[in-house]
Amino acid sequence: MARAGLTRVLEPGDPRSGQWLRRLGPVALFQRLRGEGPSLPGATAGRMAGLRSRARDARPELDLAAARRAGARFVCPGDSEWPAQLDDLGDARPLGLWVRGTPSLRFWALRSVALVGARACTDYGAHAAGLFGAGLAEQGWVVVSGGAYGIDGAAHRAALGAGGATVAVLACGVDSPYPRGHTQLIARIAEQGLVVSELPPGDHPTPSRFVRRNRVIAALTRGTVVVEAAHRSGALSTARAALRLGRAVMGVPGPVTSSLSAGVHELLRGEGHLVADAGDVVELVGGIGELAPAKSGPVLPRDLLPERLIRVLEAVPAGAGGTLELIARAAAGSIDETVGNLYELLALGYVERGGENWKLTRQALSGGFPTCGDPVAKVPSCPDHAP
């Protein structure tokens, strides 16, 4: 009850408040702020007056009742549902969390990744956030974001659309969604996932609360992915908080001509890791053996041929073809060796024989390897052929 009351009195993420809480405990601190004792260490008379005014107006029993009506609960440090990784914040640890939704926050946070970025994102950024959100959800990871416009909303929607799990960490009360345009989205998140806040029901957001909220997103998750961010972006504060906590920090590269890529690129020049898909993220934050699949171009049939056959195949002129002697000379092989290789290529469907000439088949011409003319004649239009 005292912790619930303190969420109405103390601003989130204030280390001085955390020191008072650690030294006095929640009950004694709440009583002290209600005027039952001397001023707190380091607090000016003006600040004490402001805190005591808030404390006198605090009605934690009413806040808890309002939370129950909204389908929410209050989770304290030490509760079975409390995510222990939030303790890494030290004196900036939340007093408690108001949680709306049925799943266990503790268990969901064990396998979670933050996806954050610009509110005024580009189409590219929204598309990338959607790919990452859906990809992570399909691999069994919980997508955590701030419920805002832009990248946050795209990440939440993608996770929900993939039938996955997502958590929105708000800078306002869990029963008063902000922004208003995301009321339906946040309501859906509360039905399928979780909505979390340090602030009591009905409380409103402020610019500083958005910034302080970001440390909770960083601490709650195994890593933070920044999709789009300008040099002055709140999303970068989440990344910086994650770095301080020793979490993995990742960035999605964007066009060098976009100001919304500038912050991400600066992050990647420092301690951030470049990621191109959900597999890259899982490789960084997952367990041993959770590796991203190897990336490569398509494997063409020619790639599977032994080197001796490739050498002869490249020596066969396009168009009308060439004689055995011409091909052997271009392949730097003997007549006997070349004829054996040509018959292997004939059996595989790469070449065909017409009288004294050998030429490429349609299969070979459409097989994805260059046929730039007679290699002996060194066609000038093909710079890849060395003289």
Side-chain angles (χ1 to χ4, degrees), residues 215-266:
R215 82 193 195 289
V216 177
I217 295 177
L220 199 62
T221 54
R222 301 273 288 272
T224 294
V225 180
V226 183
V227 179
E228 274 190 326
H231 278 302
R232 288 179 57 86
S233 170
L236 294 182
S237 70
T238 310
R240 288 190 288 269
L243 286 172
R244 289 193 297 270
L245 293 166
R247 308 289 197 266
V249 175
M250 297 149 278
V252 180
V256 295
T257 54
S258 172
S259 61
L260 290 176
S261 299
V264 180
H265 292 170
E266 191 65 24

Side-chain angles (χ1 to χ4, degrees), residues 9 14 18 21 38 44 76 79 99 115 159 169 174 244 248 255-256 261 269 274 279:
V9 179
D14 179 20
L21 182 66
T44 64
C76 296
D79 288 348
V99 181
L115 276 180
V169 182
V174 295
R244 289 193 297 270
V256 295
S261 299
R269 291 182 68 241
L274 189 151

Side-chain angles (χ1 to χ4, degrees), residues 117-154:
R119 286 178 172 82
C121 67
T122 65
D123 291 342
Y124 163 79
H127 181 69
L131 291 177
F132 276 81
L136 288 166
E138 288 168 357
Q139 296 189 49
W141 285 81
V142 178
V143 175
V144 179
S145 198
Y149 290 132
I151 297 301
D152 290 13

Side-chain angles (χ1 to χ4, degrees), residues 195-213:
V195 178
V196 177
S197 178
E198 297 179 82
L199 296 161
D203 220 341
H204 62 279
T206 64
S208 63
R209 287 176 173 178
F210 282 114
V211 176
R212 291 169 183 165
R213 176 273 313 270

Side-chain angles (χ1 to χ4, degrees), residues 1-356:
M1 188 70 73
R3 282 185 177 272
L6 288 170
T7 64
R8 182 69 70 178
V9 179
L10 302 174
E11 280 298 310
D14 179 20
R16 178 58 62 86
S17 300
Q19 293 171 9
W20 295 336
L21 182 66
R22 175 164 46 84
R23 292 172 183 172
L24 298 176
V27 176
L29 177 60
F30 194 43
Q31 292 173 346
R32 181 83 65 91
L33 291 173
R34 284 195 159 183
E36 302 174 14
S39 296
L40 293 164
T44 64
R47 187 177 185 192
M48 281 301 301
L51 291 174
R52 280 178 167 157
S53 175
R54 281 187 173 190
R56 284 192 295 270
D57 293 338
R59 297 291 183 270
E61 65 280 359
L62 298 181
D63 286 334
L64 290 167
R68 284 193 293 271
R69 289 194 296 272
R73 57 195 177 278
F74 186 63
V75 179
C76 296
D79 288 348
S80 60
E81 194 181 349
W82 181 258
Q85 58 266 46
L86 290 177
D87 299 340
D88 294 345
L89 290 168
D91 288 333
R93 180 182 71 172
L95 297 162
L97 291 174
W98 301 88
V99 181
R100 181 180 167 197
T102 56
S104 168
L105 177 61
R106 177 191 172 194
F107 290 132
W108 272 29
L110 291 175
R111 192 175 168 87
S112 65
V113 174
L115 276 180
V116 297
R119 286 178 172 82
C121 67
T122 65
D123 291 342
Y124 163 79
H127 181 69
L131 291 177
F132 276 81
L136 288 166
E138 288 168 357
Q139 296 189 49
W141 285 81
V142 178
V143 175
V144 179
S145 198
Y149 290 132
I151 297 301
D152 290 13
H156 288 307
R157 290 189 183 93
L160 291 170
T166 188
V167 176
V169 182
L170 305 183
C172 56
V174 295
D175 62 338
S176 306
Y178 183 87
R180 298 300 183 193
H182 274 181
T183 298
Q184 290 185 345
L185 173 62
I186 292 172
R188 187 180 171 205
I189 293 172
E191 293 174 359
Q192 188 171 323
L194 290 170
V195 178
V196 177
S197 178
E198 297 179 82
L199 296 161
D203 220 341
H204 62 279
T206 64
S208 63
R209 287 176 173 178
F210 282 114
V211 176
R212 291 169 183 165
R213 176 273 313 270
N214 292 342
R215 82 193 195 289
V216 177
I217 295 177
L220 199 62
T221 54
R222 301 273 288 272
T224 294
V225 180
V226 183
V227 179
E228 274 190 326
H231 278 302
R232 288 179 57 86
S233 170
L236 294 182
S237 70
T238 310
R240 288 190 288 269
L243 286 172
R244 289 193 297 270
L245 293 166
R247 308 289 197 266
V249 175
M250 297 149 278
V252 180
V256 295
T257 54
S258 172
S259 61
L260 290 176
S261 299
V264 180
H265 292 170
E266 191 65 24
L267 183 69
L268 294 175
R269 291 182 68 241
E271 299 181 67
H273 299 273
L274 189 151
V275 290
D277 55 31
D280 291 344
V281 176
V282 173
E283 184 172 274
L284 285 168
V285 301
I288 296 174
E290 291 189 78
L291 302 177
K295 298 177 177 66
S296 64
V299 177
L300 301 175
R302 172 190 169 171
D303 298 333
L304 305 177
L305 295 176
E307 177 62 31
R308 59 183 177 81
L309 293 184
I310 293 176
R311 190 169 61 250
V312 172
L313 187 60
E314 291 177 341
V316 178
T323 64
L324 176 61
E325 291 78 9
L326 178 69
I327 296 171
R329 186 167 65 251
S334 67
I335 294 293
D336 292 340
E337 179 185 24
T338 302
V339 73
N341 290 328
L342 283 171
Y343 272 97
E344 284 191 51
L345 292 170
L346 176 69
L348 293 170
Y350 285 96
V351 299
E352 58 185 355
R353 184 175 180 179
E356 295 296 322

